[in-house]
Amino acid sequence: MKILVALKQVPDTETKIKVAADGKSLDPADVKWITSPYDEYALEEAIRLKEGKGAEVVALSVGSDASKDVLKNALALGADSAVLLKGEGQGDPYAVAQVIAAYAKDKGFDLILCGNKGLGGDNAAMGPMLAELLGVAQANVIVKLELGDGTFKAEREIEGGSEIVEGALPAVITAQKGLNEPRYASLKGIMAAKKKTIEELDAAAVTTAAQVSALALPPERPAGRLLQGDAAQQAQALLQALKDEAKVF
Ligand SMILES: Cc1cc2nc3c(=O)[nH]c(=O)nc-3n(C[C@H](O)[C@H](O)[C@H](O)COP(=O)(O)OP(=O)(O)OC[C@H]3O[C@@H](n4cnc5c(N)ncnc54)[C@H](O)[C@@H]3O)c2cc1C
């Protein structure tokens, strides 16, 4: 079995985001990059399948050199090889799907695992688009996955319940929190990863269906105010503020 895992590098949630001078992209200065958390579930599932059934796991990222850290981490966790499809600038999920489809179409992958959405961009679109471009089955927002002989059975979260989806491999599956508990890299894994190389290929030329025209941070929140006096006075001041300023009553 051959498994491809799509991993996206995203800013660490603790990074203080700044909008770049062009007003439509992130300023990469001082950003700490991490693997998108949903992609960690996808990678963990691939490694578990490798351990359980035997599989070759290929980690892939589309982006600049900065994405290499995500791939090194995947190698340390147990991916057999890693590919960076290099291209500068931003594309929408459709562009990423085209780039990955162009790479994967003749490689014989039985399973392509993605996060259900990339943290920050939150489009939740790349996996379904990739499945369509490759003409294969898909199951999205998956919390449980079982593979049979050339088939898959997946449990997906839906509003107020769950749904079981079955289909034939090859398939694209997008991972949701709860699918598994991602492991940490072991020292042995980190040392073994140092010996593995990352294949670097140019991303296929693609078209974007949509482009970001503006990016803005939420408005600054006004500073908090400390109410003075004893508890009764504070309660009175709070009531007054809710009435006069917040106009809650
Ligand atoms: C040529 C090119 C260069 C790019 N360079 C960069 C870059 O340097 N830095 C950057 O942050 N983005 C880069 N992008 C990616 C792009 O900006 C976003 O990843 C894209 O808009 C998807 O957004 P999303 O995470 O909201 O998608 P979603 O649809 O929410 O993503 C769902 C899943 O798709 C997979 N996925 C999404 N994006 C990628 C990716 N780039 N690589 C591998 N898997 C992915 C992940 O498994 C993710 O969980 C590039 C795109 C192209 C086409």
mmCIF file with all atom_site columns, all heavy atoms in Angstrom, residues 177-204:
data_model
loop_
_atom_site.group_PDB
_atom_site.id
_atom_site.type_symbol
_atom_site.label_atom_id
_atom_site.label_alt_id
_atom_site.label_comp_id
_atom_site.label_asym_id
_atom_site.label_entity_id
_atom_site.label_seq_id
_atom_site.pdbx_PDB_ins_code
_atom_site.Cartn_x
_atom_site.Cartn_y
_atom_site.Cartn_z
_atom_site.occupancy
_atom_site.B_iso_or_equiv
_atom_site.pdbx_formal_charge
_atom_site.auth_seq_id
_atom_site.auth_comp_id
_atom_site.auth_asym_id
_atom_site.auth_atom_id
_atom_site.pdbx_PDB_model_num
ATOM 1   N N   . LYS A 1 177 ? -10.050 16.108 14.126  1.00 0.00 ? 177 LYS A N   1
ATOM 2   C CA  . LYS A 1 177 ? -9.612  15.869 15.506  1.00 0.00 ? 177 LYS A CA  1
ATOM 3   C C   . LYS A 1 177 ? -10.372 14.674 16.057  1.00 0.00 ? 177 LYS A C   1
ATOM 4   O O   . LYS A 1 177 ? -11.581 14.568 15.846  1.00 0.00 ? 177 LYS A O   1
ATOM 5   C CB  . LYS A 1 177 ? -9.911  17.121 16.334  1.00 0.00 ? 177 LYS A CB  1
ATOM 6   C CG  . LYS A 1 177 ? -9.446  17.047 17.749  1.00 0.00 ? 177 LYS A CG  1
ATOM 7   C CD  . LYS A 1 177 ? -9.714  18.341 18.457  1.00 0.00 ? 177 LYS A CD  1
ATOM 8   C CE  . LYS A 1 177 ? -9.220  18.185 19.884  1.00 0.00 ? 177 LYS A CE  1
ATOM 9   N NZ  . LYS A 1 177 ? -9.604  19.251 20.744  1.00 0.00 ? 177 LYS A NZ  1
ATOM 10  N N   . GLY A 1 178 ? -9.685  13.777 16.752  1.00 0.00 ? 178 GLY A N   1
ATOM 11  C CA  . GLY A 1 178 ? -10.357 12.604 17.312  1.00 0.00 ? 178 GLY A CA  1
ATOM 12  C C   . GLY A 1 178 ? -10.050 11.343 16.527  1.00 0.00 ? 178 GLY A C   1
ATOM 13  O O   . GLY A 1 178 ? -10.296 10.245 17.006  1.00 0.00 ? 178 GLY A O   1
ATOM 14  N N   . LEU A 1 179 ? -9.495  11.490 15.316  1.00 0.00 ? 179 LEU A N   1
ATOM 15  C CA  . LEU A 1 179 ? -9.157  10.314 14.511  1.00 0.00 ? 179 LEU A CA  1
ATOM 16  C C   . LEU A 1 179 ? -8.129  9.445  15.246  1.00 0.00 ? 179 LEU A C   1
ATOM 17  O O   . LEU A 1 179 ? -8.178  8.219  15.197  1.00 0.00 ? 179 LEU A O   1
ATOM 18  C CB  . LEU A 1 179 ? -8.604  10.762 13.144  1.00 0.00 ? 179 LEU A CB  1
ATOM 19  C CG  . LEU A 1 179 ? -8.139  9.677  12.184  1.00 0.00 ? 179 LEU A CG  1
ATOM 20  C CD1 . LEU A 1 179 ? -9.280  8.737  11.825  1.00 0.00 ? 179 LEU A CD1 1
ATOM 21  C CD2 . LEU A 1 179 ? -7.553  10.288 10.904  1.00 0.00 ? 179 LEU A CD2 1
ATOM 22  N N   . ASN A 1 180 ? -7.223  10.101 15.928  1.00 0.00 ? 180 ASN A N   1
ATOM 23  C CA  . ASN A 1 180 ? -6.173  9.387  16.671  1.00 0.00 ? 180 ASN A CA  1
ATOM 24  C C   . ASN A 1 180 ? -5.483  10.384 17.598  1.00 0.00 ? 180 ASN A C   1
ATOM 25  O O   . ASN A 1 180 ? -5.862  11.551 17.651  1.00 0.00 ? 180 ASN A O   1
ATOM 26  C CB  . ASN A 1 180 ? -5.156  8.765  15.703  1.00 0.00 ? 180 ASN A CB  1
ATOM 27  C CG  . ASN A 1 180 ? -4.657  9.796  14.693  1.00 0.00 ? 180 ASN A CG  1
ATOM 28  O OD1 . ASN A 1 180 ? -4.285  10.902 15.081  1.00 0.00 ? 180 ASN A OD1 1
ATOM 29  N ND2 . ASN A 1 180 ? -4.693  9.455  13.414  1.00 0.00 ? 180 ASN A ND2 1
ATOM 30  N N   . GLU A 1 181 ? -4.492  9.946  18.298  1.00 0.00 ? 181 GLU A N   1
ATOM 31  C CA  . GLU A 1 181 ? -3.697  10.819 19.170  1.00 0.00 ? 181 GLU A CA  1
ATOM 32  C C   . GLU A 1 181 ? -2.286  10.892 18.580  1.00 0.00 ? 181 GLU A C   1
ATOM 33  O O   . GLU A 1 181 ? -1.527  9.919  18.696  1.00 0.00 ? 181 GLU A O   1
ATOM 34  C CB  . GLU A 1 181 ? -3.674  10.205 20.573  1.00 0.00 ? 181 GLU A CB  1
ATOM 35  C CG  . GLU A 1 181 ? -3.219  11.124 21.682  1.00 0.00 ? 181 GLU A CG  1
ATOM 36  C CD  . GLU A 1 181 ? -4.011  12.417 21.779  1.00 0.00 ? 181 GLU A CD  1
ATOM 37  O OE1 . GLU A 1 181 ? -5.262  12.360 21.853  1.00 0.00 ? 181 GLU A OE1 1
ATOM 38  O OE2 . GLU A 1 181 ? -3.368  13.474 21.765  1.00 0.00 ? 181 GLU A OE2 1
ATOM 39  N N   . PRO A 1 182 ? -1.960  12.004 17.898  1.00 0.00 ? 182 PRO A N   1
ATOM 40  C CA  . PRO A 1 182 ? -0.637  12.054 17.255  1.00 0.00 ? 182 PRO A CA  1
ATOM 41  C C   . PRO A 1 182 ? 0.504   11.877 18.251  1.00 0.00 ? 182 PRO A C   1
ATOM 42  O O   . PRO A 1 182 ? 0.445   12.381 19.374  1.00 0.00 ? 182 PRO A O   1
ATOM 43  C CB  . PRO A 1 182 ? -0.592  13.447 16.620  1.00 0.00 ? 182 PRO A CB  1
ATOM 44  C CG  . PRO A 1 182 ? -2.019  13.822 16.443  1.00 0.00 ? 182 PRO A CG  1
ATOM 45  C CD  . PRO A 1 182 ? -2.744  13.200 17.611  1.00 0.00 ? 182 PRO A CD  1
ATOM 46  N N   . ARG A 1 183 ? 1.524   11.148 17.826  1.00 0.00 ? 183 ARG A N   1
ATOM 47  C CA  . ARG A 1 183 ? 2.694   10.875 18.670  1.00 0.00 ? 183 ARG A CA  1
ATOM 48  C C   . ARG A 1 183 ? 3.699   12.018 18.581  1.00 0.00 ? 183 ARG A C   1
ATOM 49  O O   . ARG A 1 183 ? 3.603   12.862 17.684  1.00 0.00 ? 183 ARG A O   1
ATOM 50  C CB  . ARG A 1 183 ? 3.357   9.575  18.227  1.00 0.00 ? 183 ARG A CB  1
ATOM 51  C CG  . ARG A 1 183 ? 4.075   9.679  16.887  1.00 0.00 ? 183 ARG A CG  1
ATOM 52  C CD  . ARG A 1 183 ? 4.456   8.343  16.323  1.00 0.00 ? 183 ARG A CD  1
ATOM 53  N NE  . ARG A 1 183 ? 3.271   7.578  15.937  1.00 0.00 ? 183 ARG A NE  1
ATOM 54  C CZ  . ARG A 1 183 ? 3.301   6.286  15.587  1.00 0.00 ? 183 ARG A CZ  1
ATOM 55  N NH1 . ARG A 1 183 ? 4.442   5.632  15.551  1.00 0.00 ? 183 ARG A NH1 1
ATOM 56  N NH2 . ARG A 1 183 ? 2.204   5.672  15.254  1.00 0.00 ? 183 ARG A NH2 1
ATOM 57  N N   . TYR A 1 184 ? 4.663   11.997 19.492  1.00 0.00 ? 184 TYR A N   1
ATOM 58  C CA  . TYR A 1 184 ? 5.806   12.911 19.397  1.00 0.00 ? 184 TYR A CA  1
ATOM 59  C C   . TYR A 1 184 ? 6.946   12.157 18.734  1.00 0.00 ? 184 TYR A C   1
ATOM 60  O O   . TYR A 1 184 ? 7.024   10.930 18.831  1.00 0.00 ? 184 TYR A O   1
ATOM 61  C CB  . TYR A 1 184 ? 6.247   13.377 20.787  1.00 0.00 ? 184 TYR A CB  1
ATOM 62  C CG  . TYR A 1 184 ? 5.225   14.266 21.457  1.00 0.00 ? 184 TYR A CG  1
ATOM 63  C CD1 . TYR A 1 184 ? 4.365   13.768 22.427  1.00 0.00 ? 184 TYR A CD1 1
ATOM 64  C CD2 . TYR A 1 184 ? 5.111   15.606 21.089  1.00 0.00 ? 184 TYR A CD2 1
ATOM 65  C CE1 . TYR A 1 184 ? 3.415   14.580 23.029  1.00 0.00 ? 184 TYR A CE1 1
ATOM 66  C CE2 . TYR A 1 184 ? 4.162   16.431 21.687  1.00 0.00 ? 184 TYR A CE2 1
ATOM 67  C CZ  . TYR A 1 184 ? 3.322   15.910 22.656  1.00 0.00 ? 184 TYR A CZ  1
ATOM 68  O OH  . TYR A 1 184 ? 2.386   16.716 23.238  1.00 0.00 ? 184 TYR A OH  1
ATOM 69  N N   . ALA A 1 185 ? 7.848   12.899 18.105  1.00 0.00 ? 185 ALA A N   1
ATOM 70  C CA  . ALA A 1 185 ? 9.005   12.258 17.464  1.00 0.00 ? 185 ALA A CA  1
ATOM 71  C C   . ALA A 1 185 ? 9.944   11.738 18.545  1.00 0.00 ? 185 ALA A C   1
ATOM 72  O O   . ALA A 1 185 ? 10.180  12.404 19.552  1.00 0.00 ? 185 ALA A O   1
ATOM 73  C CB  . ALA A 1 185 ? 9.719   13.256 16.572  1.00 0.00 ? 185 ALA A CB  1
ATOM 74  N N   . SER A 1 186 ? 10.469  10.528 18.353  1.00 0.00 ? 186 SER A N   1
ATOM 75  C CA  . SER A 1 186 ? 11.446  9.977  19.287  1.00 0.00 ? 186 SER A CA  1
ATOM 76  C C   . SER A 1 186 ? 12.844  10.435 18.863  1.00 0.00 ? 186 SER A C   1
ATOM 77  O O   . SER A 1 186 ? 13.055  10.839 17.712  1.00 0.00 ? 186 SER A O   1
ATOM 78  C CB  . SER A 1 186 ? 11.382  8.449  19.260  1.00 0.00 ? 186 SER A CB  1
ATOM 79  O OG  . SER A 1 186 ? 11.776  7.993  17.972  1.00 0.00 ? 186 SER A OG  1
ATOM 80  N N   . LEU A 1 187 ? 13.786  10.333 19.784  1.00 0.00 ? 187 LEU A N   1
ATOM 81  C CA  . LEU A 1 187 ? 15.171  10.711 19.462  1.00 0.00 ? 187 LEU A CA  1
ATOM 82  C C   . LEU A 1 187 ? 15.689  9.851  18.313  1.00 0.00 ? 187 LEU A C   1
ATOM 83  O O   . LEU A 1 187 ? 16.338  10.348 17.379  1.00 0.00 ? 187 LEU A O   1
ATOM 84  C CB  . LEU A 1 187 ? 16.046  10.534 20.708  1.00 0.00 ? 187 LEU A CB  1
ATOM 85  C CG  . LEU A 1 187 ? 17.473  11.068 20.575  1.00 0.00 ? 187 LEU A CG  1
ATOM 86  C CD1 . LEU A 1 187 ? 17.478  12.554 20.228  1.00 0.00 ? 187 LEU A CD1 1
ATOM 87  C CD2 . LEU A 1 187 ? 18.261  10.807 21.852  1.00 0.00 ? 187 LEU A CD2 1
ATOM 88  N N   . LYS A 1 188 ? 15.328  8.550  18.386  1.00 0.00 ? 188 LYS A N   1
ATOM 89  C CA  . LYS A 1 188 ? 15.743  7.616  17.323  1.00 0.00 ? 188 LYS A CA  1
ATOM 90  C C   . LYS A 1 188 ? 15.172  8.082  15.965  1.00 0.00 ? 188 LYS A C   1
ATOM 91  O O   . LYS A 1 188 ? 15.877  8.094  14.953  1.00 0.00 ? 188 LYS A O   1
ATOM 92  C CB  . LYS A 1 188 ? 15.200  6.220  17.667  1.00 0.00 ? 188 LYS A CB  1
ATOM 93  C CG  . LYS A 1 188 ? 15.779  5.110  16.839  1.00 0.00 ? 188 LYS A CG  1
ATOM 94  C CD  . LYS A 1 188 ? 15.297  3.763  17.375  1.00 0.00 ? 188 LYS A CD  1
ATOM 95  C CE  . LYS A 1 188 ? 15.415  2.715  16.290  1.00 0.00 ? 188 LYS A CE  1
ATOM 96  N NZ  . LYS A 1 188 ? 14.260  1.852  16.191  1.00 0.00 ? 188 LYS A NZ  1
ATOM 97  N N   . GLY A 1 189 ? 13.914  8.487  15.971  1.00 0.00 ? 189 GLY A N   1
ATOM 98  C CA  . GLY A 1 189 ? 13.265  8.954  14.741  1.00 0.00 ? 189 GLY A CA  1
ATOM 99  C C   . GLY A 1 189 ? 13.926  10.219 14.206  1.00 0.00 ? 189 GLY A C   1
ATOM 100 O O   . GLY A 1 189 ? 14.138  10.365 12.995  1.00 0.00 ? 189 GLY A O   1
ATOM 101 N N   . ILE A 1 190 ? 14.261  11.129 15.137  1.00 0.00 ? 190 ILE A N   1
ATOM 102 C CA  . ILE A 1 190 ? 14.891  12.396 14.724  1.00 0.00 ? 190 ILE A CA  1
ATOM 103 C C   . ILE A 1 190 ? 16.258  12.109 14.102  1.00 0.00 ? 190 ILE A C   1
ATOM 104 O O   . ILE A 1 190 ? 16.613  12.677 13.068  1.00 0.00 ? 190 ILE A O   1
ATOM 105 C CB  . ILE A 1 190 ? 15.018  13.358 15.932  1.00 0.00 ? 190 ILE A CB  1
ATOM 106 C CG1 . ILE A 1 190 ? 13.611  13.776 16.405  1.00 0.00 ? 190 ILE A CG1 1
ATOM 107 C CG2 . ILE A 1 190 ? 15.847  14.582 15.568  1.00 0.00 ? 190 ILE A CG2 1
ATOM 108 C CD1 . ILE A 1 190 ? 13.564  14.485 17.733  1.00 0.00 ? 190 ILE A CD1 1
ATOM 109 N N   . MET A 1 191 ? 17.010  11.187 14.714  1.00 0.00 ? 191 MET A N   1
ATOM 110 C CA  . MET A 1 191 ? 18.345  10.844 14.182  1.00 0.00 ? 191 MET A CA  1
ATOM 111 C C   . MET A 1 191 ? 18.204  10.155 12.821  1.00 0.00 ? 191 MET A C   1
ATOM 112 O O   . MET A 1 191 ? 18.947  10.462 11.881  1.00 0.00 ? 191 MET A O   1
ATOM 113 C CB  . MET A 1 191 ? 19.107  9.921  15.150  1.00 0.00 ? 191 MET A CB  1
ATOM 114 C CG  . MET A 1 191 ? 19.393  10.540 16.504  1.00 0.00 ? 191 MET A CG  1
ATOM 115 S SD  . MET A 1 191 ? 20.053  12.201 16.441  1.00 0.00 ? 191 MET A SD  1
ATOM 116 C CE  . MET A 1 191 ? 21.694  11.876 15.859  1.00 0.00 ? 191 MET A CE  1
ATOM 117 N N   . ALA A 1 192 ? 17.228  9.245  12.702  1.00 0.00 ? 192 ALA A N   1
ATOM 118 C CA  . ALA A 1 192 ? 17.031  8.523  11.434  1.00 0.00 ? 192 ALA A CA  1
ATOM 119 C C   . ALA A 1 192 ? 16.626  9.495  10.326  1.00 0.00 ? 192 ALA A C   1
ATOM 120 O O   . ALA A 1 192 ? 17.038  9.345  9.170   1.00 0.00 ? 192 ALA A O   1
ATOM 121 C CB  . ALA A 1 192 ? 15.960  7.444  11.610  1.00 0.00 ? 192 ALA A CB  1
ATOM 122 N N   . ALA A 1 193 ? 15.838  10.532 10.693  1.00 0.00 ? 193 ALA A N   1
ATOM 123 C CA  . ALA A 1 193 ? 15.360  11.495 9.691   1.00 0.00 ? 193 ALA A CA  1
ATOM 124 C C   . ALA A 1 193 ? 16.509  12.291 9.095   1.00 0.00 ? 193 ALA A C   1
ATOM 125 O O   . ALA A 1 193 ? 16.443  12.730 7.947   1.00 0.00 ? 193 ALA A O   1
ATOM 126 C CB  . ALA A 1 193 ? 14.343  12.435 10.329  1.00 0.00 ? 193 ALA A CB  1
ATOM 127 N N   . LYS A 1 194 ? 17.579  12.481 9.880   1.00 0.00 ? 194 LYS A N   1
ATOM 128 C CA  . LYS A 1 194 ? 18.727  13.260 9.388   1.00 0.00 ? 194 LYS A CA  1
ATOM 129 C C   . LYS A 1 194 ? 19.364  12.596 8.171   1.00 0.00 ? 194 LYS A C   1
ATOM 130 O O   . LYS A 1 194 ? 20.006  13.250 7.360   1.00 0.00 ? 194 LYS A O   1
ATOM 131 C CB  . LYS A 1 194 ? 19.770  13.428 10.504  1.00 0.00 ? 194 LYS A CB  1
ATOM 132 C CG  . LYS A 1 194 ? 19.338  14.418 11.582  1.00 0.00 ? 194 LYS A CG  1
ATOM 133 C CD  . LYS A 1 194 ? 20.491  14.660 12.542  1.00 0.00 ? 194 LYS A CD  1
ATOM 134 C CE  . LYS A 1 194 ? 20.063  15.323 13.827  1.00 0.00 ? 194 LYS A CE  1
ATOM 135 N NZ  . LYS A 1 194 ? 19.530  16.652 13.731  1.00 0.00 ? 194 LYS A NZ  1
ATOM 136 N N   . LYS A 1 195 ? 19.203  11.284 8.073   1.00 0.00 ? 195 LYS A N   1
ATOM 137 C CA  . LYS A 1 195 ? 19.819  10.560 6.950   1.00 0.00 ? 195 LYS A CA  1
ATOM 138 C C   . LYS A 1 195 ? 18.919  10.566 5.714   1.00 0.00 ? 195 LYS A C   1
ATOM 139 O O   . LYS A 1 195 ? 19.334  10.182 4.635   1.00 0.00 ? 195 LYS A O   1
ATOM 140 C CB  . LYS A 1 195 ? 20.100  9.112  7.359   1.00 0.00 ? 195 LYS A CB  1
ATOM 141 C CG  . LYS A 1 195 ? 21.167  9.016  8.440   1.00 0.00 ? 195 LYS A CG  1
ATOM 142 C CD  . LYS A 1 195 ? 21.607  7.568  8.625   1.00 0.00 ? 195 LYS A CD  1
ATOM 143 C CE  . LYS A 1 195 ? 22.381  7.412  9.917   1.00 0.00 ? 195 LYS A CE  1
ATOM 144 N NZ  . LYS A 1 195 ? 21.791  6.491  10.859  1.00 0.00 ? 195 LYS A NZ  1
ATOM 145 N N   . LYS A 1 196 ? 17.650  10.952 5.899   1.00 0.00 ? 196 LYS A N   1
ATOM 146 C CA  . LYS A 1 196 ? 16.722  10.940 4.762   1.00 0.00 ? 196 LYS A CA  1
ATOM 147 C C   . LYS A 1 196 ? 16.751  12.305 4.062   1.00 0.00 ? 196 LYS A C   1
ATOM 148 O O   . LYS A 1 196 ? 16.916  13.331 4.715   1.00 0.00 ? 196 LYS A O   1
ATOM 149 C CB  . LYS A 1 196 ? 15.294  10.643 5.239   1.00 0.00 ? 196 LYS A CB  1
ATOM 150 C CG  . LYS A 1 196 ? 15.153  9.287  5.919   1.00 0.00 ? 196 LYS A CG  1
ATOM 151 C CD  . LYS A 1 196 ? 13.720  9.084  6.384   1.00 0.00 ? 196 LYS A CD  1
ATOM 152 C CE  . LYS A 1 196 ? 13.556  7.850  7.253   1.00 0.00 ? 196 LYS A CE  1
ATOM 153 N NZ  . LYS A 1 196 ? 12.270  7.782  7.948   1.00 0.00 ? 196 LYS A NZ  1
ATOM 154 N N   . THR A 1 197 ? 16.581  12.288 2.744   1.00 0.00 ? 197 THR A N   1
ATOM 155 C CA  . THR A 1 197 ? 16.594  13.554 2.010   1.00 0.00 ? 197 THR A CA  1
ATOM 156 C C   . THR A 1 197 ? 15.171  13.936 1.588   1.00 0.00 ? 197 THR A C   1
ATOM 157 O O   . THR A 1 197 ? 14.297  13.078 1.474   1.00 0.00 ? 197 THR A O   1
ATOM 158 C CB  . THR A 1 197 ? 17.470  13.465 0.740   1.00 0.00 ? 197 THR A CB  1
ATOM 159 O OG1 . THR A 1 197 ? 17.064  12.308 0.007   1.00 0.00 ? 197 THR A OG1 1
ATOM 160 C CG2 . THR A 1 197 ? 18.939  13.385 1.081   1.00 0.00 ? 197 THR A CG2 1
ATOM 161 N N   . ILE A 1 198 ? 14.999  15.216 1.351   1.00 0.00 ? 198 ILE A N   1
ATOM 162 C CA  . ILE A 1 198 ? 13.703  15.710 0.866   1.00 0.00 ? 198 ILE A CA  1
ATOM 163 C C   . ILE A 1 198 ? 13.835  15.955 -0.633  1.00 0.00 ? 198 ILE A C   1
ATOM 164 O O   . ILE A 1 198 ? 14.702  16.719 -1.072  1.00 0.00 ? 198 ILE A O   1
ATOM 165 C CB  . ILE A 1 198 ? 13.316  17.018 1.592   1.00 0.00 ? 198 ILE A CB  1
ATOM 166 C CG1 . ILE A 1 198 ? 13.122  16.739 3.082   1.00 0.00 ? 198 ILE A CG1 1
ATOM 167 C CG2 . ILE A 1 198 ? 12.063  17.630 0.975   1.00 0.00 ? 198 ILE A CG2 1
ATOM 168 C CD1 . ILE A 1 198 ? 12.921  17.969 3.940   1.00 0.00 ? 198 ILE A CD1 1
ATOM 169 N N   . GLU A 1 199 ? 12.997  15.273 -1.410  1.00 0.00 ? 199 GLU A N   1
ATOM 170 C CA  . GLU A 1 199 ? 13.010  15.487 -2.853  1.00 0.00 ? 199 GLU A CA  1
ATOM 171 C C   . GLU A 1 199 ? 12.365  16.846 -3.142  1.00 0.00 ? 199 GLU A C   1
ATOM 172 O O   . GLU A 1 199 ? 11.293  17.150 -2.614  1.00 0.00 ? 199 GLU A O   1
ATOM 173 C CB  . GLU A 1 199 ? 12.218  14.371 -3.543  1.00 0.00 ? 199 GLU A CB  1
ATOM 174 C CG  . GLU A 1 199 ? 12.320  14.428 -5.049  1.00 0.00 ? 199 GLU A CG  1
ATOM 175 C CD  . GLU A 1 199 ? 11.512  13.330 -5.754  1.00 0.00 ? 199 GLU A CD  1
ATOM 176 O OE1 . GLU A 1 199 ? 10.781  12.579 -5.061  1.00 0.00 ? 199 GLU A OE1 1
ATOM 177 O OE2 . GLU A 1 199 ? 11.610  13.245 -6.971  1.00 0.00 ? 199 GLU A OE2 1
ATOM 178 N N   . GLU A 1 200 ? 13.047  17.650 -3.946  1.00 0.00 ? 200 GLU A N   1
ATOM 179 C CA  . GLU A 1 200 ? 12.503  18.974 -4.280  1.00 0.00 ? 200 GLU A CA  1
ATOM 180 C C   . GLU A 1 200 ? 12.157  19.040 -5.758  1.00 0.00 ? 200 GLU A C   1
ATOM 181 O O   . GLU A 1 200 ? 13.014  18.807 -6.605  1.00 0.00 ? 200 GLU A O   1
ATOM 182 C CB  . GLU A 1 200 ? 13.524  20.061 -3.941  1.00 0.00 ? 200 GLU A CB  1
ATOM 183 C CG  . GLU A 1 200 ? 13.777  20.175 -2.458  1.00 0.00 ? 200 GLU A CG  1
ATOM 184 C CD  . GLU A 1 200 ? 14.763  21.290 -2.117  1.00 0.00 ? 200 GLU A CD  1
ATOM 185 O OE1 . GLU A 1 200 ? 14.686  22.360 -2.744  1.00 0.00 ? 200 GLU A OE1 1
ATOM 186 O OE2 . GLU A 1 200 ? 15.602  21.065 -1.232  1.00 0.00 ? 200 GLU A OE2 1
ATOM 187 N N   . LEU A 1 201 ? 10.902  19.336 -6.051  1.00 0.00 ? 201 LEU A N   1
ATOM 188 C CA  . LEU A 1 201 ? 10.439  19.441 -7.438  1.00 0.00 ? 201 LEU A CA  1
ATOM 189 C C   . LEU A 1 201 ? 9.731   20.778 -7.611  1.00 0.00 ? 201 LEU A C   1
ATOM 190 O O   . LEU A 1 201 ? 9.183   21.322 -6.645  1.00 0.00 ? 201 LEU A O   1
ATOM 191 C CB  . LEU A 1 201 ? 9.454   18.302 -7.749  1.00 0.00 ? 201 LEU A CB  1
ATOM 192 C CG  . LEU A 1 201 ? 9.963   16.872 -7.574  1.00 0.00 ? 201 LEU A CG  1
ATOM 193 C CD1 . LEU A 1 201 ? 8.801   15.887 -7.678  1.00 0.00 ? 201 LEU A CD1 1
ATOM 194 C CD2 . LEU A 1 201 ? 11.018  16.552 -8.628  1.00 0.00 ? 201 LEU A CD2 1
ATOM 195 N N   . ASP A 1 202 ? 9.729   21.290 -8.827  1.00 0.00 ? 202 ASP A N   1
ATOM 196 C CA  . ASP A 1 202 ? 8.985   22.525 -9.078  1.00 0.00 ? 202 ASP A CA  1
ATOM 197 C C   . ASP A 1 202 ? 7.492   22.208 -9.083  1.00 0.00 ? 202 ASP A C   1
ATOM 198 O O   . ASP A 1 202 ? 7.071   21.216 -9.686  1.00 0.00 ? 202 ASP A O   1
ATOM 199 C CB  . ASP A 1 202 ? 9.369   23.127 -10.437 1.00 0.00 ? 202 ASP A CB  1
ATOM 200 C CG  . ASP A 1 202 ? 10.755  23.748 -10.384 1.00 0.00 ? 202 ASP A CG  1
ATOM 201 O OD1 . ASP A 1 202 ? 11.178  24.131 -9.277  1.00 0.00 ? 202 ASP A OD1 1
ATOM 202 O OD2 . ASP A 1 202 ? 11.414  23.820 -11.437 1.00 0.00 ? 202 ASP A OD2 1
ATOM 203 N N   . ALA A 1 203 ? 6.710   23.044 -8.416  1.00 0.00 ? 203 ALA A N   1
ATOM 204 C CA  . ALA A 1 203 ? 5.248   22.872 -8.456  1.00 0.00 ? 203 ALA A CA  1
ATOM 205 C C   . ALA A 1 203 ? 4.773   23.101 -9.887  1.00 0.00 ? 203 ALA A C   1
ATOM 206 O O   . ALA A 1 203 ? 5.279   23.995 -10.576 1.00 0.00 ? 203 ALA A O   1
ATOM 207 C CB  . ALA A 1 203 ? 4.588   23.868 -7.507  1.00 0.00 ? 203 ALA A CB  1
ATOM 208 N N   . ALA A 1 204 ? 3.821   22.295 -10.311 1.00 0.00 ? 204 ALA A N   1
ATOM 209 C CA  . ALA A 1 204 ? 3.273   22.461 -11.663 1.00 0.00 ? 204 ALA A CA  1
ATOM 210 C C   . ALA A 1 204 ? 2.649   23.848 -11.803 1.00 0.00 ? 204 ALA A C   1
ATOM 211 O O   . ALA A 1 204 ? 2.133   24.399 -10.822 1.00 0.00 ? 204 ALA A O   1
ATOM 212 C CB  . ALA A 1 204 ? 2.210   21.386 -11.908 1.00 0.00 ? 204 ALA A CB  1
#
